[in-house]
Amino acid sequence: MYDSFKPGEIWLDNNGVHVNAHGGGILFDDGRYYWFGEHKTEGENGNFANVGVHCYSSRDLYNWTDEGIALAVMPDSSGSDIEKGCILERPKVIKNNKTGQYVMWFHLEPKGKGYKGALSGVAVSDNITGPYTYIKSVRPNAGHFPFNVLDIHYGDSPSLGQRFDGGSLPGNIDTLNILGRDMKGGQMARDMTLFADDDGKAYHIYSSEENSTLHIAELSDDYLSHTGKYGRFFPGRFMEAPAIFKRNNKYYLMMSGCTGWAPNQARSAVSDGIFGEWKELGDPCIGDSMHTTFHSQSTFILPVQGKKETYIYMGDRWTPQNAIDGRYVWLPVRFEEDRFFIEWKDQWNWENRDN
């Protein structure tokens, strides 16, 4: 039994097996936490989706019970979008209180096509632990421009027919007009998260426009599609790995730069509304001398139930040469006015998180 967190260490579940839920997120439901994440396998091939989305449950966040595979990939040669060997990343689950269903969204790349697809997949279940039924994959908001678009995006796109490497661009993001290039077929969507607000509205937040710009998109009332209302933020800043949370009626984002599996310096931002105006706050990591987000990448920031002003930074320490050995970096979040900060701790629990 665990009674503390040890960031970066092997974390065993109830069966004595290292928790296998990478790039994940947590949903609190009926007195229990549910952790959904990518199930990795051994070796470099383990970076592909060979199994699916794993689910674990816990009452105290220290000790986790294996609930099995919530969403399984389909067999080889099935022709499914989620066929074994596809890329299925950063699954997040939220509950729709109107329908009673649990809705999962994830970044999806069809098998054998690298990262060219930039799709978002959605699955649904009546039970929180699954099994989830895969519904579809889309590029979000086809045929719609964001509400905060510049006039230039309505014109011709000089990037029509071009693809870029996802970490840089050969010119200005607005001049290239990648947004206009993709308007008809839908916007690119890679690293992503979900957020359900207090009023029941839900949002899909994802890296778009060749990873150069973050989109925040409203979901339909059933959370299964996009409404066409969305905004583009931080154009040209190349932010991925978004994690969002709300505190005192303000919205906060934590993100990383785009350096593949290699960790980099974190970014943060705050806004009075989900659709902005977003103000960058800089690196929230205190004492991170290597500027690598404590050798991790953000995936989720969890508000802890029943503990006022208690939030947990959840990060992944990727090991792409042996994907199954990826570790988890969970650290307490503290606040100073409208900013949040994260400091390294070798070991911590609720009682000593501020020491």
Side-chain angles (χ1 to χ4, degrees):
M1 294 286 288
Y2 292 104
D3 59 6
S4 63
F5 302 103
K6 295 181 179 180
E9 299 295 320
I10 289 286
W11 199 346
L12 303 180
D13 66 13
N14 62 306
N15 297 318
V17 178
H18 182 44
V19 174
N20 199 337
H22 308 270
I26 289 181
L27 176 62
F28 183 79
D29 187 67
D30 195 24
R32 189 177 286 269
Y33 297 93
Y34 293 86
W35 181 0
F36 299 87
E38 307 159 29
H39 181 105
K40 300 291 191 183
T41 54
E42 292 184 357
E44 291 188 26
N45 189 59
N47 296 303
F48 296 100
N50 297 308
V51 178
V53 177
H54 212 134
C55 177
Y56 296 82
S57 70
S58 175
R59 291 196 181 275
D60 61 9
L61 294 172
Y62 301 129
N63 300 282
W64 292 90
T65 298
D66 186 354
E67 299 287 356
I69 302 302
L71 174 68
V73 296
M74 295 293 102
D76 284 323
S77 303
S78 65
S80 170
D81 291 344
I82 59 169
E83 180 178 322
K84 181 180 178 181
C86 69
I87 296 172
L88 194 164
E89 297 178 333
R90 298 185 176 269
K92 303 293 185 292
V93 175
I94 52 178
K95 183 178 182 179
N96 190 305
N97 290 323
K98 291 181 179 179
T99 65
Q101 292 186 310
Y102 299 90
V103 180
M104 176 190 297
W105 283 85
F106 48 88
H107 167 214
L108 177 65
E109 301 288 348
K111 184 177 181 178
K113 297 183 179 180
Y115 280 85
K116 295 179 181 178
L119 299 169
S120 296
V122 59
V124 67
S125 177
D126 291 330
N127 303 303
I128 190 167
T129 57
Y132 283 74
T133 300
Y134 172 71
I135 298 176
K136 62 182 177 181
S137 63
V138 298
R139 278 197 170 186
N141 296 304
H144 298 275
F145 276 115
F147 64 82
N148 57 351
V149 71
L150 299 173
D151 290 344
I152 189 173
H153 295 293
Y154 292 101
D156 295 333
S157 173
S159 61
L160 192 65
Q162 298 185 52
R163 292 294 180 266
F164 307 103
D165 67 8
S168 63
L169 290 173
N172 179 273
I173 179 62
D174 290 323
T175 302
L176 287 169
N177 194 11
I178 294 169
L179 183 82
R181 181 197 73 186
D182 295 338
M183 191 275 290
K184 185 176 180 180
Q187 298 301 320
M188 302 178 75
R190 291 189 177 128
D191 276 15
M192 58 138 285
T193 193
L194 296 178
F195 178 72
D197 211 339
D198 304 327
D199 60 2
K201 288 283 188 182
Y203 302 88
H204 182 205
I205 301 162
Y206 51 91
S207 299
S208 192
E209 301 177 47
E210 305 283 0
N211 286 0
S212 71
T213 303
L214 195 74
H215 287 191
I216 299 178
E218 183 183 73
L219 293 176
S220 57
D221 286 346
D222 60 9
Y223 300 172
L224 300 180
S225 60
H226 299 84
T227 66
K229 181 181 179 180
Y230 70 108
R232 63 192 299 264
F233 304 95
F234 315 108
R237 289 285 285 129
F238 286 92
M239 298 197 191
E240 60 180 9
I244 189 170
F245 66 100
K246 187 176 183 180
R247 170 185 176 264
N248 293 344
N249 293 317
K250 289 186 179 292
Y251 299 80
Y252 294 87
L253 274 168
M254 184 170 177
M255 298 151 289
S256 79
C258 294
T259 53
W261 297 112
N264 57 63
Q265 189 171 21
R267 296 107 176 266
S268 63
V270 64
S271 175
D272 289 330
I274 189 75
F275 283 130
E277 179 180 348
W278 286 94
K279 174 187 176 183
E280 286 199 53
L281 299 174
D283 184 356
C285 296
I286 303 299
D288 179 27
S289 59
M290 299 298 291
H291 302 303
T292 60
T293 316
F294 303 117
H295 194 61
S296 72
Q297 187 183 38
S298 51
T299 185
F300 201 74
I301 293 182
L302 172 68
V304 179
Q305 300 295 313
K307 294 184 182 292
K308 187 178 180 181
E309 293 290 280
T310 302
Y311 296 77
I312 298 176
Y313 161 76
M314 295 171 52
D316 284 279
R317 186 169 285 178
W318 304 111
T319 54
Q321 294 77 24
N322 187 26
I324 199 171
D325 191 38
R327 309 293 177 87
Y328 310 103
V329 174
W330 286 25
L331 293 167
V333 179
R334 65 176 177 86
F335 297 89
E336 293 181 10
E337 296 180 344
D338 290 340
R339 296 193 63 177
F340 70 93
F341 298 96
I342 301 166
E343 295 181 85
W344 177 260
K345 293 180 183 294
D346 291 329
Q347 183 174 351
W348 65 280
N349 57 29
W350 311 123
E351 286 68 36
N352 68 11
R353 72 180 187 270
D354 297 323
N355 297 330

